[in-house]
Structure formats: structure tokens, C-alpha cells
Amino acid sequence: MKFTLSWLKDHLETEADVHQIAEAMTMAGLEVEEVLDPAAKLAPFTVARIVSAERHPNADRLQVCQVETVDGMKEIVCGAPNARAGLTTIYAPIGAYVPGLGVTLVEKPVRGVVSNGMLCSASELELADESDGIQELPPEIPVGTPVAGLFGAEPVIDFEVTPNRPDWLGVAGIARDLAAASVGKLKHFDIAVVRGAFPSPISVRLDAPEMCPVFAGRVVRGVKNGPSPAWLQKRLTAIGLRSINRLVDVTNLIAYDRARPLHVYDLAKLSGTEIVVRAGQASAETGEAEHLIALDGKTYAVSPADCVIADAGGERPIGLGGVMGGESTGCDDDTTDAFLESAWFDPLVIAQTGRALSIHSDAQYRFARGVDPVSVTPGLELATRLILDLCGGEPSDIVFVGEPPANPSPFAFDPAHVKRLTGMDLADDRIGTILGQLGFLVQAAPAGQAEPWVVTPPSWRRDVEGPADLVEEVARIEGFNSLPDVALPPVAVPAGGVLNPRQARVRTARRALASLGYAEAVTWSFTKQSTAVLFGGGDGRLVLENPIAADLDCMRPSALPNLIQAAARNAARGFADAALFEIGPIYLGDGPKDQRTVIAGLVAPHAARHWEGAGETPLFALKGDLNAVLEEIGAPVASLQLVQGQNRDWWHPGRSARLQLGPKNVMVEFGELHPRILKALDADGPMLAFEIVLDNVPEPRGKSGKARGSADLSAFMPLTRDFAFVVEDAKPAGDLVRAASGADKALIADVRVFDVYRGKGVDEGFKSVALEVVLQPRDATLTDAEIEALTAKVVAAVEKQGGKLRA
């Protein structure tokens, strides 16, 4: 919704400037979006006079003009056909921004002649849609006069109208609220009754009173239509409306001035003498919906849910009631007799029509939010008076059909509610004054009623239904900045230990995976039954009786299928190199005891090709991430057994493994997903994943409820010893690492594999695994004898795992 300050002052006596008005509107609850000031945009431009104009020496269509400007005489190159000596026009200096061209003027030669500015047209300053040449101004205007003052450019306030306040869609409604907020004094205008000179030749029949409960209209004959006067065109164009002709402009003016949409028909184009308001209908012969060519030139198929205005005995649609008129009966410059319509349409019907047909007209916008039903006749009278003033003519009697909706009902109100709900300590007189200025009728309650007042909302405030609504009205008009600053009562601090150990682990795992570069996915706990079968859920116990969707008909036996599909969707949109994780439930049977919480991660290593090579093997990178997460959540990583060849069918048999604390406690499965599974889920491989069953991860010992102690740092330098053991090729290197680490837990700080060798010097079927053992003295520097004894312990421990020290 837009309006100008001068328009507002037609309804409000005020000395406030546009910025003060905008501030007051904001404080009163009107959401000001922007204050547009065209005068600021026109500030660089002034009046100038061409003293002489000579043909350009290097261009036939250009002229070199000597121009008297506010900056003195300037030589300006101009290509306008009407540039001539003695012409008074508009001058733009170097450095000015020309809005219609979107350029800032710089001093540069034009075909060899430097132009020291520009002579402008109205379109180049966005004062008109198009121009034939530079602007011609009256010669009596002095040189140097600011252009902004000549064209009456004034600021425009643009604000957002909330759905519950349709009365703000008229400038009069805005003025009413500002007057209540003490910004000015509201001007009250009585709309004079225009007596009809003859009976209306057009009658009205309501066949759909549920869509249009009331309809009023009258004929004005002998009008002289044509372009609107300058004041009306200026008022409409200032807020972005296009002036059409006097009759149509009057209806647009009243829509924005009084929030009362109207429509005007060319009487000569109506068929018959009766207008019928009905629902849309289909052809009795073909069954097809009827069509209407609207004023926007588009053809719309009308359904029975739409309100139709029809003539020819109700057969021909000539408009969509409350939305848009038809092209066939529109008024033009040749119109001499007009039929003026003022009706009230059901907001829900109009809103549904607008959505269904994608029509967003000014009338539809207002009727969908609820126009004041009491304005039907006053709006018609006001439009009649304006038409008679601008177009002349003779009005008929008003034809009025139907019954408007009942006014809002009164309810009891205690002004003490204002202090109780807001803390504002206002006198009853002040509360009553605010409500009265907003149009509410405040009366003393009958004897015996608990509340002292009875308040009746005005017809344009159907959103007010009870005492709390009135308190809000008083608070916003008095000013939300007047709300008392009172501290809230103290609230007891809740006891500690909000998170249980399981929840704390989930939070830790989420942070650890995010720090490793994984993005969290939140997916359904359901999946498709055929997908569940691929992941061990094929016994039918997980199928839902009442699924929310056909492709979500089964509880998921694993979190991996949803992550696979999420990665595939990312790849289809150009993000193939995905790293995702999810923490959530999986379902292994038909009861709560078969539900598990898992931490699942997935990577799709599809990094861009680069000459530096592939880098770290994706499977080992995944295992590193997995170990990092396990360590963060307190899993006994050093005690885990790595087992290969026992994973389930959805894992690649040669590129996957499991981590377990014995065969009955499988904590993790990880590795590369089977290509068969990826193909079934329409995903491109490779993809690697892990799934940690959080329920199988034992709680760390001695950490619950205790603070972390100080760091135990040794004062002595560590030292390393390297070993190479020959073992069977199938022996996991991790078994050797664990054995060496356990040889002396007090002195051995770390064991790392730094080489694996197969080839010359090592028998076939065997491999050489090189270990680096880090020794960390605690109490004193280790002697050679102590180092040798520790070395013997390491060798003995690894030999128990089948390793033989390589010579």
C-alpha cells in the first residue's frame, strides 16, 4: 500500500513531515517498508535555456548547443530533434545520475566535441513513460529553478498491510489511526446524498447471495469521458497506478482513498436490462466451463466456486465479482452512459478465486481481506459525486439488492484489563478516548454487570472480538515504548545433569563428525519395503499398516539406505563428493526392545581429478574418522577386534570389516558398500560408510560424574624402537599393534604401523609388518638394560600372535 503526504493531508490536519509520519506509523503498528523520495532523485536537475544550437561538425543528427545553466554557460551536445535556440528545458550537470538511463554523466567527447552536461527528456528522469525529445518548459521559468518543485515530486510512503487490517488499505483509515496517535486532527467529511433524476434502467438479481450478499448500483448518463485532470493523474501515478480515463480513475481513487473497490460498466455495451450475480457454471451442451476475457486481456475459465457478474438474462459473463471486470463492457473515451457498481463479496470466495486463477488485482486484494460492508452506499454516492464533477452527466436512482452482513457484536470490557495485561497505568478517560478515536462505541454497562463498559467495534474492525483485542489497540496507540520496564521474576536454576550419558554421547558424536567435515542429515525413520529387504528387513515385521506415503511403508532396519539416497540426490544436483552422517533409530523387529540407536556416516569420494594423485585411500580415511568418533564417545578402541569377511550382504565382501568386543558384541560395521546395493538405489559408486550401534558401546569406566584430572606429562624425552615381524598374509596388522601395546602399558606410549612389505626375502603367503614403538620414561631415563628387557617383551608378545622377528 502506497500513499503520498499530500494525499494523507486530505484526511489529516498535521504539520508532521514524511519521516515523522513514517515513525508514527511504525509505532502504531503499521509496518513501513520504505519512504520513496523522488525529489531527492531529481535534486541535481535544474531549468536551463538554450541560447544557440548549431549542427555538429561530425554528425548530422547532433547539435552543439550553448546553454545558459545554473553553472553558467555550458557547451552541450544534444541529439533531440526539438533542441533549438530559445527553448527552456532540463539540465543535468557532470556527475549527475540519470535514473531513466541508469548512468552517471562524465565529461567525454561526443564525435570530437566535449559535452559538458546533458539536456534531458521527461522519460530520462522517469517523469513519463516515453518522450519524443527533450522536455519543453514554459519560457517564463527562471534558469536554475529546481526541477523537483516544477513536477510536484513528493515523498511516497510504502507500508505492509497485515491481513487483519483491511481498513488500512485506504488513506482515510491510516489517517484515523494517526489521529488517534496524536499526530494530527482527523478531518471528517459527510458524503452528500446525490438524488437520482430518473429510475435506474438496470435492475439486479442475486442468484448467489452466499457469494455476494449485497449489491448496489446506479446509471450515470450523458457523461463526457476522457483523460483525467492533472491532479488526479498525478495522485495515481505517484503511487504507481496508470491513469486510464476519468471513469476508471475515479474507481481507483476511491479504492485507495476509502478502501472501497468499485467497478464501472459501459451501459451501451451491456446486453439487456438486468445484471445477474451468480456462481460460475458449465455449458449445458458441452459441459465445459464458461470463459471470461478480463480487462487484463487474459481469458479465464470460471468454476462454480467463482462469483460471476452476468448480463443477457444471466447468460453472458461480464466480470468476476470482486476480482476483475470483463473486457467486453469496459469504459473507454467514447463512453457516454455508465453503470456504477458497489457491492460486498464474501472474502473467502474472493481469496479462493484469486488463488485458483492467479489474479492479484487491487479489488481482489481488498475484498479477500474484508471490505467494510457499510461502505456500499457511501462509496457509491462518493463516486457519483466525483463523476458528476469530472464528467458531468445525470444520475439515476440507486438500485439496492440484498442484505449486508451484520455489524460486529458488542461485548463487555473492563478498562482495568489494560494495566493487568500491559502494565500501562492509564486513566479510564484516556482509554475511552483512544477507543473512540479508533471508531469504537464505548457505553456504560447495564446495572449489575461486572465490567463497567460495553464496547461495540466499528463495521470496519471485524478482527476485534474480545477484551484482549481492545487492550492491544490501546497499547499500540499509546505507544509500545510506553510499556513499563519491569524485570521478570527470578526463576530457580534447574538442577544439573540435564543430559543422560546416552544423550551426552550423541551430542559429542555430532560435534566430532561435524568437525571432521561431515554434514548432518535428518531423514525419515521409514523407507520403502523393497529397500528394507536389501538391508535385512525382509521378514515383514517392519511393514506399517497405515504408512504416510507409498514409498515410506516400512520402518528402516538401517540408517544407510536413507544416507545413500541423500548422497545420490546431492550427486544429481552437482555435489557428488558428499560426506553425510545421521544419528537416529533403526528397527530390527516388531517391538521396542528391538530398536537401536546408531551413528551412521557415509562418504562418496568423487573429488575432482588432479595431477597430484588420489591422496589417501578413502577406506583408510573413513577408518580414521571412525576411530576418531569412537575415541570421542569413550569407546574402548584399544580393545576392539577387527574382523573381516563376516559383514552382512550390503557390504563389499573384500573391502569391509567389523569392530567387536567378542563375537556377541558387534559395535561397528564399516567399509565399501556393495555395488549391487548402490545400483538398486540408483546411486553411483563408490560409497563407503560405517554404522555404530550406540547401544553396544560400553560406558567408559570411572568417568561418570568426575571432572577430568590434570595432564600427566613426563619430564623425559620419549624414544622409539622399530621392529619388523613376519606374519601370515591374512593376519590383521591391528592384532600386532595391540599385542605390542600390551607388552608394557606403563612405558609404551604408542605403536604405529609404518610399513607393510611383500616380496623378495619374505615367503609367499606371508608379509612383513614394520612397527614403530614409542617408549615414554616416567621416573628416570631408561638404561640400555631396561630398553633391551622391554624390547624382549614386545617381541614375545607379538610372537604369541604368530609374528616372527624378521632377521
Side-chain angles (χ1 to χ4, degrees):
M1 173 70 184
K2 296 179 181 180
F3 65 93
T4 62
L5 183 58
S6 63
W7 194 341
L8 177 68
K9 289 184 176 181
D10 284 351
H11 298 277
L12 185 71
E13 293 180 8
T14 181
E15 298 299 324
D17 62 25
V18 66
H19 298 289
Q20 292 171 328
I21 293 293
E23 175 66 19
M25 290 174 63
T26 300
M27 296 307 298
L30 290 88
E31 303 175 17
V32 176
E33 296 282 338
E34 188 179 10
V35 177
L36 307 169
D37 191 357
K41 185 170 59 177
L42 296 176
F45 304 94
T46 55
V47 174
R49 183 173 291 106
I50 301 176
V51 175
S52 65
E54 304 291 339
R55 186 184 300 278
H56 193 289
N58 300 319
D60 292 339
R61 295 186 179 182
L62 298 178
Q63 297 186 76
V64 179
C65 302
Q66 302 300 321
V67 184
E68 182 185 359
T69 74
V70 68
D71 300 321
M73 293 297 295
K74 296 288 183 180
E75 186 173 74
I76 298 175
V77 178
C78 181
N82 62 334
R84 62 188 183 273
L87 177 65
T88 301
T89 186
I90 299 174
Y91 160 69
I94 297 298
Y97 176 78
V98 183
L101 300 178
V103 298
T104 299
L105 299 182
V106 295
E107 186 176 317
K108 66 177 183 179
V110 180
R111 294 289 185 93
V113 178
V114 175
S115 182
N116 298 287
M118 178 179 176
L119 303 179
C120 303
S121 67
S123 61
E124 288 166 340
L125 299 188
E126 296 184 340
L127 298 173
D129 294 334
E130 56 185 25
S131 301
D132 294 331
I134 58 177
Q135 181 69 28
E136 298 192 17
L137 299 174
E140 62 271 15
I141 300 177
V143 170
T145 303
V147 170
L150 294 178
F151 289 92
E154 60 176 322
V156 176
I157 295 178
D158 183 6
F159 72 101
E160 186 68 27
V161 178
T162 54
N164 67 316
R165 292 303 305 270
D167 56 306
W168 282 344
L169 290 169
V171 179
I174 303 166
R176 182 189 303 111
D177 277 28
L178 290 175
S182 303
V183 180
K185 183 179 180 181
L186 186 66
K187 298 179 181 180
H188 294 280
F189 298 98
D190 293 328
I191 299 176
V193 174
V194 180
R195 297 188 178 277
F198 58 94
S200 172
I202 300 295
S203 61
V204 178
R205 186 176 85 233
L206 295 181
D207 286 352
E210 71 283 358
M211 294 181 170
C212 177
V214 60
F215 189 107
R218 78 185 330 163
V219 170
V220 183
R221 65 188 182 191
V223 300
K224 184 179 181 181
N225 202 14
S228 293
W231 71 267
L232 181 52
Q233 292 189 38
K234 176 184 171 183
R235 177 152 291 185
L236 296 179
T237 55
I239 62 172
L241 294 180
R242 181 172 60 91
S243 175
I244 299 173
N245 55 56
R246 295 174 188 173
L247 291 172
V248 176
D249 287 355
V250 164
T251 63
N252 287 334
L253 177 70
I254 295 176
Y256 277 81
D257 189 74
R258 302 299 177 102
R260 161 38 64 185
L262 305 165
H263 187 66
V264 61
Y265 303 87
D266 189 326
L267 187 63
K269 298 177 182 178
L270 292 176
S271 178
T273 60
E274 183 181 45
I275 284 181
V276 179
V277 184
R278 60 172 173 79
Q281 59 190 21
S283 170
E285 299 177 356
T286 64
E288 295 182 357
E290 60 184 341
H291 290 75
L292 171 73
I293 302 176
L295 286 172
D296 60 1
K298 298 179 181 180
T299 301
Y300 298 98
V302 183
S303 76
D306 304 320
C307 183
V308 170
I309 311 296
D311 64 0
E315 293 298 321
R316 184 181 71 151
I318 59 173
L320 287 168
V323 179
M324 187 175 290
E327 188 178 69
S328 62
T329 57
C331 293
D332 52 34
D333 290 351
D334 297 328
T335 299
T336 57
D337 300 325
F339 179 76
L340 187 61
E341 166 201 305
S342 179
W344 192 88
F345 300 93
D346 182 80
L348 183 59
V349 172
I350 304 306
Q352 291 174 337
T353 297
R355 284 194 296 267
L357 301 179
S358 297
I359 301 179
H360 305 287
S361 65
D362 288 337
Q364 189 271 341
Y365 187 79
R366 284 161 172 77
F367 278 119
R369 282 156 177 76
V371 172
D372 180 10
V374 177
S375 69
V376 170
T377 301
L380 188 63
E381 297 281 17
L382 180 59
T384 303
R385 173 54 58 194
L386 283 171
I387 290 174
L388 295 179
D389 291 343
L390 298 178
C391 306
E394 185 181 32
S396 74
D397 294 332
I398 292 177
V399 54
F400 189 97
V401 182
E403 186 70 27
N407 285 330
S409 300
F411 53 85
F413 178 68
D414 186 348
H417 286 324
V418 174
K419 182 173 178 58
R420 184 172 62 85
L421 295 181
T422 69
M424 290 181 174
D425 193 4
L426 301 179
D428 289 358
D429 288 346
R430 174 58 179 159
I431 296 172
T433 299
I434 290 175
L435 295 178
Q437 289 177 319
L438 292 175
F440 293 88
L441 177 61
V442 180
Q443 297 173 302
Q449 181 173 300
E451 289 82 358
W453 292 355
V454 173
V455 178
T456 305
S459 58
W460 60 84
R461 290 303 306 274
R462 295 175 181 270
D463 60 305
V464 176
E465 298 177 346
D469 296 325
L470 295 182
V471 172
E472 181 182 358
E473 293 299 300
V474 173
R476 71 178 183 86
I477 295 300
E478 183 65 20
F480 291 121
N481 55 344
S482 299
L483 291 171
D485 185 8
V486 179
L488 292 173
V491 179
V493 179
V498 176
L499 298 179
N500 61 35
R502 169 69 63 82
Q503 294 169 330
R505 278 185 158 185
V506 167
R507 184 171 65 175
T508 301
R510 181 175 287 114
R511 291 177 175 175
L513 285 164
S515 68
L516 291 169
Y518 288 71
E520 185 173 9
V522 181
T523 69
W524 293 105
S525 294
F526 319 114
T527 188
K528 196 174 183 179
Q529 185 177 359
S530 58
T531 301
V533 170
L534 299 174
F535 289 82
D539 57 5
R541 291 185 298 168
L542 300 179
V543 178
L544 298 171
E545 293 183 0
N546 186 24
I548 62 173
D551 57 347
L552 296 172
D553 59 348
C554 188
M555 305 302 293
R556 64 181 184 185
S558 169
L560 296 179
N562 290 355
L563 289 181
I564 293 170
Q565 292 169 327
R569 286 192 296 270
N570 277 270
R573 288 158 178 79
F575 298 94
D577 192 22
L580 306 173
F581 79 92
E582 181 176 8
I583 303 177
I586 63 171
Y587 306 87
L588 307 178
D590 54 2
K593 62 182 178 63
D594 293 321
Q595 179 176 325
R596 301 286 186 272
T597 300
V598 298
I599 305 170
L602 179 141
V603 294
H606 294 282
R609 293 180 295 176
H610 197 276
W611 65 270
E612 289 182 347
E616 186 179 16
T617 304
L619 183 56
F620 286 112
L622 179 80
K623 185 183 177 185
D625 294 344
L626 174 59
N627 283 334
V629 175
L630 291 173
E631 288 177 356
E632 286 292 327
I633 64 175
V637 178
S639 303
L640 294 178
Q641 301 172 353
L642 179 72
V643 179
Q644 294 178 272
Q646 297 185 20
N647 276 16
R648 288 172 285 190
D649 294 342
W650 52 90
W651 299 103
H652 196 297
R655 303 174 190 171
S656 61
R658 60 170 54 171
L659 297 175
Q660 62 186 37
L661 287 172
K664 293 185 178 180
N665 187 359
V666 179
M667 287 174 42
V668 186
E669 290 186 351
F670 72 98
E672 186 174 332
L673 291 162
H674 202 291
R676 172 181 57 85
I677 299 296
L678 299 181
K679 183 178 180 181
L681 297 180
D682 197 23
D684 293 330
M687 288 188 184
L688 299 92
F690 62 81
E691 197 165 41
I692 304 170
V693 181
L694 195 57
D695 306 71
N696 294 346
V697 180
E699 297 286 344
R701 296 179 180 178
K703 291 186 178 181
S704 178
K706 294 183 179 180
R708 179 179 294 179
S710 59
D712 183 16
L713 302 177
S714 175
F716 300 94
M717 292 291 294
L719 65 152
T720 62
R721 285 293 182 268
D722 294 344
F723 301 85
F725 296 99
V726 177
V727 295
E728 293 181 356
D729 206 6
K731 185 67 174 179
D735 291 350
L736 307 186
V737 172
R738 280 190 295 273
S741 299
D744 191 322
K745 295 182 178 180
L747 292 176
I748 297 176
D750 194 12
V751 178
R752 295 186 287 265
V753 178
F754 68 88
D755 185 44
V756 177
Y757 171 75
R758 299 177 182 85
K760 187 177 180 180
V762 178
D763 295 340
E764 187 175 351
F766 288 83
K767 62 185 177 184
S768 173
V769 179
L771 303 179
E772 180 186 49
V773 179
V774 180
L775 307 178
Q776 178 61 67
R778 293 291 176 181
D779 301 323
T781 303
L782 296 177
T783 65
D784 290 343
E786 290 173 332
I787 295 173
E788 290 300 327
L790 188 57
T791 299
K793 287 183 181 181
V794 172
V795 172
V798 175
E799 285 180 347
K800 291 181 180 180
Q801 294 293 326
K804 181 180 179 182
L805 189 65
R806 186 179 174 189

